[in-house]
mmCIF file of all heavy atoms in Angstrom:
data_model
loop_
_atom_site.group_PDB
_atom_site.id
_atom_site.type_symbol
_atom_site.label_atom_id
_atom_site.label_comp_id
_atom_site.label_asym_id
_atom_site.label_seq_id
_atom_site.Cartn_x
_atom_site.Cartn_y
_atom_site.Cartn_z
ATOM 1 N N PRO A 266 0.796 -1.233 0.000
ATOM 2 C CA PRO A 266 0.000 0.000 0.000
ATOM 3 C C PRO A 266 0.823 1.275 0.000
ATOM 4 O O PRO A 266 0.414 2.279 -0.588
ATOM 5 C CB PRO A 266 -0.835 -0.129 1.278
ATOM 6 C CG PRO A 266 -0.106 -1.110 2.129
ATOM 7 C CD PRO A 266 0.538 -2.047 1.185
ATOM 8 N N ARG A 267 1.970 1.316 0.642
ATOM 9 C CA ARG A 267 2.759 2.557 0.713
ATOM 10 C C ARG A 267 3.963 2.491 -0.221
ATOM 11 O O ARG A 267 4.224 3.404 -0.992
ATOM 12 C CB ARG A 267 3.212 2.793 2.160
ATOM 13 C CG ARG A 267 4.139 4.008 2.324
ATOM 14 C CD ARG A 267 3.433 5.331 1.940
ATOM 15 N NE ARG A 267 4.357 6.434 1.887
ATOM 16 C CZ ARG A 267 4.798 7.098 2.957
ATOM 17 N NH1 ARG A 267 4.393 6.736 4.168
ATOM 18 N NH2 ARG A 267 5.611 8.118 2.827
ATOM 19 N N PHE A 268 4.723 1.439 -0.130
ATOM 20 C CA PHE A 268 5.918 1.293 -0.969
ATOM 21 C C PHE A 268 5.703 0.083 -1.880
ATOM 22 O O PHE A 268 5.723 -1.059 -1.444
ATOM 23 C CB PHE A 268 7.167 1.093 -0.106
ATOM 24 C CG PHE A 268 7.366 2.169 0.935
ATOM 25 C CD1 PHE A 268 7.171 1.898 2.294
ATOM 26 C CD2 PHE A 268 7.737 3.452 0.560
ATOM 27 C CE1 PHE A 268 7.360 2.885 3.237
ATOM 28 C CE2 PHE A 268 7.925 4.441 1.511
ATOM 29 C CZ PHE A 268 7.722 4.167 2.863
ATOM 30 N N GLU A 269 5.521 0.356 -3.145
ATOM 31 C CA GLU A 269 5.151 -0.707 -4.067
ATOM 32 C C GLU A 269 6.350 -1.521 -4.571
ATOM 33 O O GLU A 269 6.284 -2.749 -4.677
ATOM 34 C CB GLU A 269 4.391 -0.128 -5.258
ATOM 35 C CG GLU A 269 3.031 0.444 -4.891
ATOM 36 C CD GLU A 269 2.265 0.892 -6.117
ATOM 37 O OE1 GLU A 269 2.766 0.647 -7.242
ATOM 38 O OE2 GLU A 269 1.189 1.470 -5.960
ATOM 39 N N LEU A 270 7.450 -0.820 -4.903
ATOM 40 C CA LEU A 270 8.595 -1.505 -5.511
ATOM 41 C C LEU A 270 9.865 -1.410 -4.678
ATOM 42 O O LEU A 270 10.666 -2.346 -4.662
ATOM 43 C CB LEU A 270 8.858 -0.948 -6.914
ATOM 44 C CG LEU A 270 7.717 -1.121 -7.919
ATOM 45 C CD1 LEU A 270 8.072 -0.445 -9.231
ATOM 46 C CD2 LEU A 270 7.433 -2.598 -8.150
ATOM 47 N N SER A 271 10.071 -0.272 -4.025
ATOM 48 C CA SER A 271 11.308 -0.080 -3.266
ATOM 49 C C SER A 271 11.073 0.957 -2.172
ATOM 50 O O SER A 271 10.021 1.595 -2.112
ATOM 51 C CB SER A 271 12.449 0.370 -4.186
ATOM 52 O OG SER A 271 12.127 1.627 -4.773
ATOM 53 N N LEU A 272 12.083 1.143 -1.344
ATOM 54 C CA LEU A 272 12.016 2.110 -0.257
ATOM 55 C C LEU A 272 12.789 3.361 -0.641
ATOM 56 O O LEU A 272 13.721 3.323 -1.473
ATOM 57 C CB LEU A 272 12.610 1.510 1.021
ATOM 58 C CG LEU A 272 11.960 0.217 1.530
ATOM 59 C CD1 LEU A 272 12.628 -0.214 2.831
ATOM 60 C CD2 LEU A 272 10.470 0.386 1.730
ATOM 61 N N PRO A 273 12.472 4.482 0.001
ATOM 62 C CA PRO A 273 13.201 5.729 -0.279
ATOM 63 C C PRO A 273 14.685 5.600 0.042
ATOM 64 O O PRO A 273 15.078 4.936 1.012
ATOM 65 C CB PRO A 273 12.516 6.742 0.633
ATOM 66 C CG PRO A 273 11.156 6.189 0.858
ATOM 67 C CD PRO A 273 11.333 4.698 0.908
ATOM 68 N N LEU A 274 15.483 6.268 -0.776
ATOM 69 C CA LEU A 274 16.935 6.203 -0.596
ATOM 70 C C LEU A 274 17.367 6.728 0.761
ATOM 71 O O LEU A 274 18.364 6.269 1.335
ATOM 72 C CB LEU A 274 17.635 6.985 -1.709
ATOM 73 C CG LEU A 274 17.533 6.388 -3.119
ATOM 74 C CD1 LEU A 274 18.203 7.297 -4.134
ATOM 75 C CD2 LEU A 274 18.165 4.999 -3.151
ATOM 76 N N GLU A 275 16.623 7.718 1.303
ATOM 77 C CA GLU A 275 16.994 8.295 2.602
ATOM 78 C C GLU A 275 16.911 7.227 3.706
ATOM 79 O O GLU A 275 17.764 7.183 4.601
ATOM 80 C CB GLU A 275 16.069 9.471 2.947
ATOM 81 C CG GLU A 275 16.225 10.696 2.050
ATOM 82 C CD GLU A 275 15.532 10.522 0.714
ATOM 83 O OE1 GLU A 275 14.763 9.536 0.560
ATOM 84 O OE2 GLU A 275 15.760 11.356 -0.176
ATOM 85 N N MET A 276 15.923 6.382 3.629
ATOM 86 C CA MET A 276 15.807 5.297 4.613
ATOM 87 C C MET A 276 16.967 4.301 4.470
ATOM 88 O O MET A 276 17.578 3.888 5.462
ATOM 89 C CB MET A 276 14.478 4.549 4.423
ATOM 90 C CG MET A 276 13.237 5.327 4.809
ATOM 91 S SD MET A 276 11.727 4.345 4.570
ATOM 92 C CE MET A 276 11.962 3.039 5.766
ATOM 93 N N LEU A 277 17.258 3.965 3.250
ATOM 94 C CA LEU A 277 18.329 2.996 3.005
ATOM 95 C C LEU A 277 19.684 3.541 3.437
ATOM 96 O O LEU A 277 20.499 2.821 4.034
ATOM 97 C CB LEU A 277 18.353 2.606 1.534
ATOM 98 C CG LEU A 277 17.037 2.037 0.965
ATOM 99 C CD1 LEU A 277 17.231 1.636 -0.495
ATOM 100 C CD2 LEU A 277 16.576 0.842 1.786
ATOM 101 N N GLN A 278 19.936 4.817 3.139
ATOM 102 C CA GLN A 278 21.212 5.415 3.517
ATOM 103 C C GLN A 278 21.352 5.458 5.031
ATOM 104 O O GLN A 278 22.415 5.141 5.586
ATOM 105 C CB GLN A 278 21.314 6.830 2.934
ATOM 106 C CG GLN A 278 22.666 7.504 3.195
ATOM 107 C CD GLN A 278 23.821 6.750 2.556
ATOM 108 O OE1 GLN A 278 23.785 6.460 1.359
ATOM 109 N NE2 GLN A 278 24.844 6.444 3.340
ATOM 110 N N ALA A 279 20.282 5.852 5.707
ATOM 111 C CA ALA A 279 20.328 5.911 7.170
ATOM 112 C C ALA A 279 20.539 4.517 7.766
ATOM 113 O O ALA A 279 21.276 4.344 8.750
ATOM 114 C CB ALA A 279 19.033 6.529 7.707
ATOM 115 N N ALA A 280 19.901 3.500 7.196
ATOM 116 C CA ALA A 280 20.062 2.136 7.695
ATOM 117 C C ALA A 280 21.489 1.642 7.490
ATOM 118 O O ALA A 280 22.070 0.986 8.365
ATOM 119 C CB ALA A 280 19.079 1.215 6.991
ATOM 120 N N ASP A 281 22.083 1.956 6.328
ATOM 121 C CA ASP A 281 23.489 1.571 6.098
ATOM 122 C C ASP A 281 24.413 2.271 7.078
ATOM 123 O O ASP A 281 25.355 1.668 7.602
ATOM 124 C CB ASP A 281 23.889 1.903 4.659
ATOM 125 C CG ASP A 281 23.394 0.861 3.667
ATOM 126 O OD1 ASP A 281 23.233 -0.307 4.079
ATOM 127 O OD2 ASP A 281 23.169 1.210 2.501
ATOM 128 N N ASP A 282 24.152 3.568 7.330
ATOM 129 C CA ASP A 282 25.002 4.324 8.253
ATOM 130 C C ASP A 282 24.932 3.753 9.669
ATOM 131 O O ASP A 282 25.941 3.729 10.391
ATOM 132 C CB ASP A 282 24.585 5.794 8.272
ATOM 133 C CG ASP A 282 24.907 6.504 6.963
ATOM 134 O OD1 ASP A 282 25.732 5.957 6.197
ATOM 135 O OD2 ASP A 282 24.331 7.580 6.711
ATOM 136 N N ARG A 283 23.762 3.285 10.068
ATOM 137 C CA ARG A 283 23.571 2.786 11.426
ATOM 138 C C ARG A 283 23.801 1.271 11.544
ATOM 139 O O ARG A 283 23.802 0.735 12.639
ATOM 140 C CB ARG A 283 22.142 3.100 11.895
ATOM 141 C CG ARG A 283 21.896 4.583 12.120
ATOM 142 C CD ARG A 283 22.665 5.073 13.324
ATOM 143 N NE ARG A 283 22.415 6.493 13.603
ATOM 144 C CZ ARG A 283 22.866 7.123 14.684
ATOM 145 N NH1 ARG A 283 23.602 6.471 15.571
ATOM 146 N NH2 ARG A 283 22.597 8.397 14.877
ATOM 147 N N GLY A 284 23.967 0.594 10.433
ATOM 148 C CA GLY A 284 24.166 -0.852 10.478
ATOM 149 C C GLY A 284 22.944 -1.601 10.931
ATOM 150 O O GLY A 284 23.062 -2.670 11.559
ATOM 151 N N MET A 285 21.765 -1.086 10.629
ATOM 152 C CA MET A 285 20.523 -1.758 11.004
ATOM 153 C C MET A 285 19.890 -2.359 9.750
ATOM 154 O O MET A 285 19.559 -1.629 8.813
ATOM 155 C CB MET A 285 19.548 -0.783 11.658
ATOM 156 C CG MET A 285 18.284 -1.474 12.201
ATOM 157 S SD MET A 285 17.057 -0.316 12.814
ATOM 158 C CE MET A 285 16.378 0.273 11.254
ATOM 159 N N PRO A 286 19.699 -3.672 9.711
ATOM 160 C CA PRO A 286 19.141 -4.294 8.513
ATOM 161 C C PRO A 286 17.726 -3.812 8.211
ATOM 162 O O PRO A 286 16.891 -3.700 9.116
ATOM 163 C CB PRO A 286 19.137 -5.783 8.846
ATOM 164 C CG PRO A 286 20.151 -5.936 9.922
ATOM 165 C CD PRO A 286 20.090 -4.675 10.718
ATOM 166 N N VAL A 287 17.491 -3.518 6.931
ATOM 167 C CA VAL A 287 16.150 -3.216 6.442
ATOM 168 C C VAL A 287 15.811 -4.273 5.402
ATOM 169 O O VAL A 287 16.580 -4.502 4.463
ATOM 170 C CB VAL A 287 16.060 -1.796 5.843
ATOM 171 C CG1 VAL A 287 14.686 -1.578 5.205
ATOM 172 C CG2 VAL A 287 16.318 -0.745 6.912
ATOM 173 N N VAL A 288 14.650 -4.936 5.606
ATOM 174 C CA VAL A 288 14.244 -6.051 4.758
ATOM 175 C C VAL A 288 12.891 -5.723 4.145
ATOM 176 O O VAL A 288 11.990 -5.236 4.846
ATOM 177 C CB VAL A 288 14.144 -7.353 5.568
ATOM 178 C CG1 VAL A 288 13.779 -8.523 4.664
ATOM 179 C CG2 VAL A 288 15.451 -7.627 6.314
ATOM 180 N N VAL A 289 12.747 -5.973 2.857
ATOM 181 C CA VAL A 289 11.439 -5.805 2.221
ATOM 182 C C VAL A 289 10.876 -7.183 1.899
ATOM 183 O O VAL A 289 11.622 -8.111 1.546
ATOM 184 C CB VAL A 289 11.533 -4.950 0.941
ATOM 185 C CG1 VAL A 289 11.987 -3.540 1.270
ATOM 186 C CG2 VAL A 289 12.444 -5.590 -0.088
ATOM 187 N N LEU A 290 9.569 -7.330 2.080
ATOM 188 C CA LEU A 290 8.863 -8.561 1.750
ATOM 189 C C LEU A 290 8.155 -8.360 0.414
ATOM 190 O O LEU A 290 7.216 -7.560 0.310
ATOM 191 C CB LEU A 290 7.853 -8.910 2.842
ATOM 192 C CG LEU A 290 8.422 -9.036 4.262
ATOM 193 C CD1 LEU A 290 7.317 -9.377 5.249
ATOM 194 C CD2 LEU A 290 9.547 -10.063 4.317
ATOM 195 N N ARG A 291 8.575 -9.061 -0.599
ATOM 196 C CA ARG A 291 8.052 -8.842 -1.939
ATOM 197 C C ARG A 291 6.752 -9.603 -2.201
ATOM 198 O O ARG A 291 6.103 -9.387 -3.209
ATOM 199 C CB ARG A 291 9.097 -9.242 -2.972
ATOM 200 C CG ARG A 291 10.365 -8.387 -2.881
ATOM 201 C CD ARG A 291 11.344 -8.712 -3.972
ATOM 202 N NE ARG A 291 11.902 -10.063 -3.837
ATOM 203 C CZ ARG A 291 12.881 -10.542 -4.601
ATOM 204 N NH1 ARG A 291 13.392 -9.778 -5.555
ATOM 205 N NH2 ARG A 291 13.326 -11.760 -4.417
ATOM 206 N N ARG A 292 6.383 -10.471 -1.289
ATOM 207 C CA ARG A 292 5.143 -11.215 -1.455
ATOM 208 C C ARG A 292 4.229 -10.909 -0.266
ATOM 209 O O ARG A 292 4.673 -10.894 0.888
ATOM 210 C CB ARG A 292 5.448 -12.713 -1.518
ATOM 211 C CG ARG A 292 4.256 -13.584 -1.886
ATOM 212 C CD ARG A 292 4.696 -15.033 -2.008
ATOM 213 N NE ARG A 292 5.743 -15.168 -3.032
ATOM 214 C CZ ARG A 292 6.647 -16.136 -3.047
ATOM 215 N NH1 ARG A 292 6.661 -17.023 -2.082
ATOM 216 N NH2 ARG A 292 7.544 -16.190 -4.009
ATOM 217 N N HIS A 293 2.976 -10.666 -0.540
ATOM 218 C CA HIS A 293 2.032 -10.308 0.519
ATOM 219 C C HIS A 293 1.875 -11.472 1.494
ATOM 220 O O HIS A 293 1.737 -12.631 1.103
ATOM 221 C CB HIS A 293 0.661 -9.949 -0.066
ATOM 222 C CG HIS A 293 -0.367 -9.663 0.988
ATOM 223 N ND1 HIS A 293 -0.343 -8.508 1.742
ATOM 224 C CD2 HIS A 293 -1.438 -10.389 1.417
ATOM 225 C CE1 HIS A 293 -1.364 -8.529 2.595
ATOM 226 N NE2 HIS A 293 -2.040 -9.666 2.411
ATOM 227 N N THR A 294 1.897 -11.149 2.795
ATOM 228 C CA THR A 294 1.718 -12.165 3.825
ATOM 229 C C THR A 294 1.091 -11.529 5.046
ATOM 230 O O THR A 294 1.249 -10.310 5.283
ATOM 231 C CB THR A 294 3.072 -12.809 4.194
ATOM 232 O OG1 THR A 294 2.850 -13.905 5.068
ATOM 233 C CG2 THR A 294 3.985 -11.800 4.868
ATOM 234 N N ALA A 295 0.392 -12.301 5.846
ATOM 235 C CA ALA A 295 -0.197 -11.793 7.081
ATOM 236 C C ALA A 295 0.882 -11.704 8.149
ATOM 237 O O ALA A 295 1.552 -12.705 8.443
ATOM 238 C CB ALA A 295 -1.325 -12.716 7.532
ATOM 239 N N PHE A 296 1.064 -10.520 8.735
ATOM 240 C CA PHE A 296 2.099 -10.330 9.746
ATOM 241 C C PHE A 296 1.897 -11.253 10.946
ATOM 242 O O PHE A 296 2.856 -11.684 11.596
ATOM 243 C CB PHE A 296 2.117 -8.874 10.207
ATOM 244 C CG PHE A 296 2.798 -7.954 9.235
ATOM 245 C CD1 PHE A 296 2.792 -6.573 9.439
ATOM 246 C CD2 PHE A 296 3.456 -8.435 8.122
ATOM 247 C CE1 PHE A 296 3.423 -5.716 8.550
ATOM 248 C CE2 PHE A 296 4.094 -7.596 7.225
ATOM 249 C CZ PHE A 296 4.070 -6.218 7.436
ATOM 250 N N VAL A 297 0.634 -11.566 11.261
ATOM 251 C CA VAL A 297 0.389 -12.399 12.429
ATOM 252 C C VAL A 297 0.973 -13.794 12.259
ATOM 253 O O VAL A 297 1.415 -14.429 13.228
ATOM 254 C CB VAL A 297 -1.131 -12.469 12.718
ATOM 255 C CG1 VAL A 297 -1.874 -13.214 11.595
ATOM 256 C CG2 VAL A 297 -1.392 -13.141 14.062
ATOM 257 N N SER A 298 1.015 -14.298 11.017
ATOM 258 C CA SER A 298 1.620 -15.616 10.794
ATOM 259 C C SER A 298 3.124 -15.578 11.051
ATOM 260 O O SER A 298 3.711 -16.558 11.522
ATOM 261 C CB SER A 298 1.334 -16.089 9.370
ATOM 262 O OG SER A 298 1.957 -15.239 8.412
ATOM 263 N N ILE A 299 3.723 -14.424 10.775
ATOM 264 C CA ILE A 299 5.164 -14.275 11.045
ATOM 265 C C ILE A 299 5.413 -14.234 12.541
ATOM 266 O O ILE A 299 6.315 -14.899 13.065
ATOM 267 C CB ILE A 299 5.713 -13.007 10.354
ATOM 268 C CG1 ILE A 299 5.630 -13.166 8.827
ATOM 269 C CG2 ILE A 299 7.146 -12.745 10.789
ATOM 270 C CD1 ILE A 299 6.088 -11.933 8.061
ATOM 271 N N THR A 300 4.620 -13.422 13.271
ATOM 272 C CA THR A 300 4.838 -13.302 14.711
ATOM 273 C C THR A 300 4.603 -14.641 15.412
ATOM 274 O O THR A 300 5.364 -15.027 16.311
ATOM 275 C CB THR A 300 3.931 -12.226 15.315
ATOM 276 O OG1 THR A 300 2.557 -12.540 15.036
ATOM 277 C CG2 THR A 300 4.247 -10.864 14.729
ATOM 278 N N GLU A 301 3.571 -15.360 15.017
ATOM 279 C CA GLU A 301 3.304 -16.658 15.646
ATOM 280 C C GLU A 301 4.459 -17.618 15.394
ATOM 281 O O GLU A 301 4.906 -18.336 16.303
ATOM 282 C CB GLU A 301 1.999 -17.243 15.102
ATOM 283 C CG GLU A 301 0.753 -16.549 15.608
ATOM 284 C CD GLU A 301 -0.506 -17.155 15.005
ATOM 285 O OE1 GLU A 301 -0.372 -17.959 14.039
ATOM 286 O OE2 GLU A 301 -1.604 -16.850 15.496
ATOM 287 N N ASP A 302 4.934 -17.659 14.176
ATOM 288 C CA ASP A 302 6.032 -18.560 13.816
ATOM 289 C C ASP A 302 7.299 -18.210 14.593
ATOM 290 O O ASP A 302 7.922 -19.067 15.236
ATOM 291 C CB ASP A 302 6.277 -18.475 12.309
ATOM 292 C CG ASP A 302 7.409 -19.403 11.851
ATOM 293 O OD1 ASP A 302 7.650 -20.418 12.533
ATOM 294 O OD2 ASP A 302 8.048 -19.110 10.823
ATOM 295 N N VAL A 303 7.670 -16.930 14.566
ATOM 296 C CA VAL A 303 8.922 -16.517 15.200
ATOM 297 C C VAL A 303 8.848 -16.681 16.702
ATOM 298 O O VAL A 303 9.778 -17.190 17.347
ATOM 299 C CB VAL A 303 9.267 -15.067 14.819
ATOM 300 C CG1 VAL A 303 10.519 -14.608 15.575
ATOM 301 C CG2 VAL A 303 9.487 -14.948 13.319
ATOM 302 N N HIS A 304 7.742 -16.256 17.334
ATOM 303 C CA HIS A 304 7.651 -16.351 18.789
ATOM 304 C C HIS A 304 7.652 -17.798 19.258
ATOM 305 O O HIS A 304 8.254 -18.124 20.292
ATOM 306 C CB HIS A 304 6.389 -15.629 19.270
ATOM 307 C CG HIS A 304 6.441 -14.158 19.078
ATOM 308 N ND1 HIS A 304 5.338 -13.342 19.138
ATOM 309 C CD2 HIS A 304 7.486 -13.328 18.805
ATOM 310 C CE1 HIS A 304 5.692 -12.074 18.931
ATOM 311 N NE2 HIS A 304 6.996 -12.053 18.713
#
């Protein structure tokens, strides 16, 4: 709904500078299935 193909460069640059991984999910999925699985 917000970012269709990629993220803004400002976010990516800031993430690289801080060493914090940013991951995009290219296939639609329910977040609750992720939280249940991971927890």
Side-chain angles (χ1 to χ4, degrees):
R267 175 63 189 280
F268 306 109
E269 293 185 6
L270 299 176
S271 62
L272 302 182
L274 292 177
E275 292 78 11
M276 290 181 65
L277 304 183
Q278 184 62 53
D281 280 332
D282 291 343
R283 291 291 182 173
M285 186 186 77
V287 174
V288 182
V289 296
L290 304 180
R291 297 185 293 187
R292 188 176 301 154
H293 176 72
T294 187
F296 282 174
V297 67
S298 65
I299 294 177
T300 57
E301 287 179 349
D302 180 26
V303 176
H304 292 164

